[in-house]
Every structure is written in C-alpha cells, then in structure tokens.
Amino acid sequence: MKKTRPNPRANKNILWFAYGVVGVFAAMGLYMGVFLQFQSEDVINNPYNARIAGMADRVVRGKLLADDGTVIAETVVGEDGKETRSYPYGELFAHVAGYSTMGKTGLESLVNFHLLSSHVNLMEKIIDELSGEKSTGDNVATTLNLRLQQTAWDALGDRRGAVIAMEPDTGKVLAMVSKPAFDPNTVEAEWDSLVNGDSKEARLLNRATQGLYPPGSTFKVITALEYMREHPGAYDGFHFSCDGIYEYENIRIQCYHKTAHGEEDFAASFANSCNGAFASLGLELDLDGLKGLSEQLLFNRDQPLSIPYKQSVYQMEADAEDWEIMQTAMGQGSTLMTPMHNLMVMAAIANDGILMKPYFVDHVENPGGQTVKKFKPEAYGELMVANEAAALKELLVRVVNEGTGSSLRTDAYQAAGKTGSAGVGGSSGTGTTGGITPGTGGSTGGISPAFGTEPGVCGSTGAGGTGRRTGAPQNVQNFASSRILFPHFVQNMV
C-alpha cells in the first residue's frame, strides 16, 4: 500500500490556525485582566447596573466618614425596618458627599458599590442570611477634614462661591465647599424647587468643579510661562514703562485704579499684576504656542477628576485680533476656567511641575473597622519641568512679598500667589456661565503653597471688590494659625 506523504502546506495552515486560536484566547485573557483591574468597578457602579439594586436588597448602605471617623452620611433603620439616609451636617458636605435619593451624586455615587458591599465576618453573614436580615455595608473613609470644611464654609458666609483644599504632593482633597448649597436630608421634598429652571441659584451645581469663570489675572501665570519658554534664559531682559494706561493703536488697557507702576522688569510686572505689561507681552507671543501650553495645562481637555466637572475653555486662535490677544494674555476674553482646574495648575507648580490626581477616598473598611481597600496617591503627569515650576514659584512668592498679594505676607509662613480682577459679563458681554447668570465685573485672588508638602486651597466667592482686597480673607490666617498653609483663589460672581 502506498504511503501518503504529509502535506507541508496543510500542516502549516493548521499551525497558523492554532496560533490564531491561542492568540484570541491570549487577547481575551489580557482584556479580562485590564477590565478587572481598571474598568470593572466603573461598570459595576453604573447606576443602570441592575446588580446594584440587588445589592441594596441584601445590604444596609454603609457610612461616609471624614478623615477622623466623623460620620458624614449614614443609613438609619427604623423600628419598622424603613431605611433613611441621614446627613448629620446638612449643607456642609452637600456637594462633595452628594445625595442618594432622586438619583445619586458626589461621593454617594462615586463609592456606591463599596457602600453596598459587606465584608462582615462569615458567621455574621450566615446568620443574616438565615434570619432574613440585611448585612451591614462597608464604610468609606474619605480624605475630607471636618475642621477645614467648616472653616471654608464659614469663610464663604452667605456669598456664592466655592473653596477646595488639596495637598499638592498627594492630590488628597481635604475640603470642598460650594454655595449656595442644599440640604441632602430634604432633597426629595425640595426636588421641584431645586431643579426649577426659573431659579438662578443653581443650588445643585458644584461650583468647585462645574463652574466656569474667567480666570482673571491668575491666567498671567500661564502667559508668563509661555513667555519664559519663548525666551529661555533671557526673559529677565523684559522691560516695560507703566504710566497706568497702555495704548496700542486704538486700544486702551488700564491697570488697577490706573496705577502707574513705573519702570518694571519681568518679575516686577508679574508681582504688580501690570495689565499694560502683560497686554504688551501678549502681542509678542507665538499664539499657537500659547494655545498649546494652555492645552498642556488641561484647557480643552479631560481632567483627572473622579466626580463630574466641566472642561476649562481656551478659544483664542492664531489669527486673533490684537484686542483679543491683549485681553486673553491678561486672563479676560473668552477664556473660562473652573476653580478646581486653577488649583491643579497651582498645585503642579508647588509640586515641582508634577500634577497628582485629586482623590477623595482614603480607604474602605468593614463595620468592624478593618481596612478592606486602601487608596494611594497617583501621579497624573508632568505639566511643566521642575526648573519652570521653580521659576514660577519665585514669581508667586514675590507677588506676596512685594506685590499685589502683600495682605497675605506674614512671618508665620511663606506664601506664594497671584491676585487679579475678572470681568464676568458686563463689558465682556452678558450670558450664563457655570449655570448662573453672571453680573458685571468680578475679582480673583490666589495663594499657592510655597512648598509642595503644604495643602493648597482654591475658591470662588461672590464678594465685591478686586483680588487685591478680597483675595486674602482673614480666614486664611485661621488656616495658618494651625501651621497649615492654604492658598486662596477668589473669584467674584453674582
């Protein structure tokens, strides 16, 4: 009988087919690994996930805790078994903690899965199952500090605005306040008034991350950085003679109260927040470079935030008219920025150019206090190189020591910052910004930590005046008295 010779081509095809099958399984395994590591929690925590509702049938929702264990939110079970979500501090943590009726927002939404998970001991779980009782959910220990949250709340008073406190070298968010606020205990009862389209209060809006406002002269930090990049080693050669009003063709730019700053170099122009100098400087810049830098600093881009936010907006193009160039270089024009974004830029400067991802949760613990999951600081990336951050830090320190931020100069600590005034509506046009109807004019002020290990604060308020006056509230001194430095970015709006 004649033997059949193996067909080399057929064997090769079988081999390639085997490789293909192995490759498909390998790709599936890789995908499952990536999914479980990075995406599973988001999918499970999706409000449309029916599994979450099933978990609520078996588990009593856990507590939200401040960094010292103080209860921010808890579920109270009545004698009839009815569960009521309680927020002991009412409006104080409203926007950051969120609510869990009429949907979920804030941390109530972010850590929903953890609050409905239960890591009680096995015996207790068995007893609960046999008796038909619900297990107690895990508690989520946040990074929020009760004392700082209360101080920020008191600092805003009855004005509209927001304050955020964050550690630049870790990204740990220590406080987040937004006003006007709402009481999460009464959201369901007040729902119609809260969502009424005729209301201009926008109490549900978290102005810290969702309010878009002109950055004012705090944007001069970015303008200055672009000028430094275009003139490496030579930017100190910049000189400007300020007589209070800068005229270019038919455009007039005036400094605060038409103050004449006289002869200024680059650092003095920054410290004095000289509008004329920066309008003139803006006309020299490569506009494509300024836009590229702005986007590198997270304008028009997704931001590393785990709670809802608005993207900051930079719109000026390379063919912009002189008026727009001058206004944008000063922080006016059509540029819009959230307080949280402004804080992240300042935090990167304080942290040698590295932005840490802001985070709100320290750890998850079972009802017995044992840690189930620990969250660690994570770097987002380098927004600028270390020597650029150091140079900007020197400029910001000079603002406080010699310039417009001198009201924050103290022997208790070395502060660094940037003041400024921002037009919101009015001469720049009227409209709705950040969910509210803006008024005319406004002001900003900023203090960033001089060292990356000190927490930073960014805020917005509805107080009148300019950043020179409202940018350094007495409450900053209260923060300093506890040996903690908190910069304050203030922006006025109606």
Side-chain angles (χ1 to χ4, degrees), residues 20 38 48 57 102 128 143 156 173 177 179 182 186 219 222 240 263 281 303 409-410 460 477:
F38 301 106
Y48 296 102
D57 293 334
M102 309 302 290
D128 289 339
T143 59
L156 283 176
V173 177
V177 170
K179 288 188 178 183
F182 60 92
T186 59
F219 189 82
I222 299 175
F240 184 81
E263 297 298 322
L281 184 150
Q303 297 176 10
R409 186 171 61 240
T410 173
S460 63
Q477 303 298 332

Side-chain angles (χ1 to χ4, degrees), residues 139-457:
N139 300 324
V140 173
T142 72
T143 59
L144 302 171
N145 182 280
L146 174 60
R147 181 176 61 84
L148 301 182
Q149 187 83 0
Q150 186 67 61
T151 304
W153 178 273
D154 294 342
L156 283 176
D158 59 359
R159 297 168 293 182
R160 295 188 183 193
V163 173
I164 321 147
M166 184 180 76
E167 293 180 351
D169 61 330
T170 65
K172 182 184 293 185
V173 177
L174 304 178
M176 180 177 283
V177 170
S178 178
K179 288 188 178 183
F182 60 92
D183 187 346
N185 292 297
T186 59
V187 164
E188 189 170 4
E190 298 182 0
W191 186 250
D192 289 342
S193 64
L194 288 172
V195 299
N196 188 339
D198 295 332
S199 173
K200 295 180 180 180
E201 288 188 320
R203 288 191 288 158
L204 294 178
L205 179 74
N206 186 351
R207 285 167 167 79
T209 61
Q210 296 173 303
L212 286 170
Y213 315 107
S217 289
T218 58
F219 189 82
K220 289 174 182 173
V221 171
I222 299 175
T223 304
L225 179 55
E226 175 60 23
Y227 187 81
M228 290 161 61
R229 286 187 173 182
E230 292 184 23
H231 302 80
Y235 57 85
D236 284 337
F238 174 85
H239 283 90
F240 184 81
S241 181
C242 174
D243 60 5
I245 298 176
Y246 173 62
E247 296 187 19
Y248 180 79
E249 296 184 352
N250 61 340
I251 303 170
R252 289 167 56 91
I253 300 291
Q254 70 179 44
C255 289
Y256 173 67
H257 280 185
K258 299 181 182 179
T259 301
H261 298 119
E263 297 298 322
E264 302 173 301
D265 60 11
F266 184 71
S269 298
F270 188 90
N272 294 327
S273 197
C274 180
N275 289 337
F278 272 80
S280 170
L281 184 150
L283 294 172
E284 300 180 29
L285 295 179
D286 174 2
L287 299 189
D288 285 330
L290 182 59
K291 181 177 182 180
L293 172 61
S294 298
E295 293 181 344
Q296 179 184 342
L297 298 180
L298 303 181
F299 280 89
N300 305 332
R301 291 177 56 182
D302 293 338
Q303 297 176 10
L305 292 173
S306 53
I307 62 175
Y309 66 91
K310 293 272 186 72
Q311 279 191 0
S312 294
V313 179
Y314 180 93
Q315 295 183 334
M316 187 172 67
E317 299 293 343
D319 59 352
E321 299 290 337
D322 291 339
W323 179 88
E324 184 181 3
I325 295 172
M326 297 163 75
Q327 290 290 319
T328 301
M330 295 159 44
Q332 303 282 354
S334 57
T335 305
L336 297 173
M337 195 176 193
T338 65
M340 186 71 198
H341 180 195
N342 206 313
L343 173 60
M344 287 191 285
V345 173
M346 287 291 199
I349 295 171
N351 195 40
D352 300 327
I354 304 297
L355 174 63
M356 303 300 291
K357 292 183 179 180
Y359 71 103
F360 300 83
V361 180
D362 184 77
H363 66 275
V364 180
E365 61 184 43
N366 67 16
Q370 296 175 316
T371 299
V372 174
K373 182 175 182 179
K374 179 73 175 176
F375 293 82
K376 297 180 179 180
E378 183 181 353
Y380 169 77
E382 185 180 73
L383 297 192
M384 64 195 75
V385 297
N387 65 332
E388 291 175 333
L392 287 175
K393 196 182 300 183
E394 289 181 8
L395 292 176
L396 294 167
V397 166
R398 187 161 174 177
V399 170
V400 174
N401 290 349
E402 305 173 20
T404 57
S406 58
S407 59
L408 278 172
R409 186 171 61 240
T410 173
D411 294 333
Y413 56 83
Q414 177 61 67
K418 184 73 195 75
T419 61
S421 301
V424 186
S427 60
S428 302
T430 57
T432 300
T433 304
I436 61 170
T437 302
T440 358
S443 67
T444 66
I447 308 296
S448 74
F451 306 101
T453 55
E454 302 288 353
V457 169

Side-chain angles (χ1 to χ4, degrees), residues 26-45:
M28 290 174 61
L30 179 63
Y31 171 76
M32 288 302 296
V34 172
F35 176 81
L36 291 173
Q37 182 68 27
F38 301 106
Q39 299 175 320
S40 59
E41 191 171 307
D42 292 336
V43 173
I44 293 172
N45 203 34

Side-chain angles (χ1 to χ4, degrees), residues 1 4 60 68 80 89 101-102 119 163 225-226 235 320 325 360 429 438 476 488 490:
M1 183 176 180
T4 304
V60 176
D68 63 353
D80 58 355
Y89 290 91
T101 57
M102 309 302 290
H119 287 83
V163 173
L225 179 55
E226 175 60 23
Y235 57 85
I325 295 172
F360 300 83
V476 175
H488 190 77
V490 179

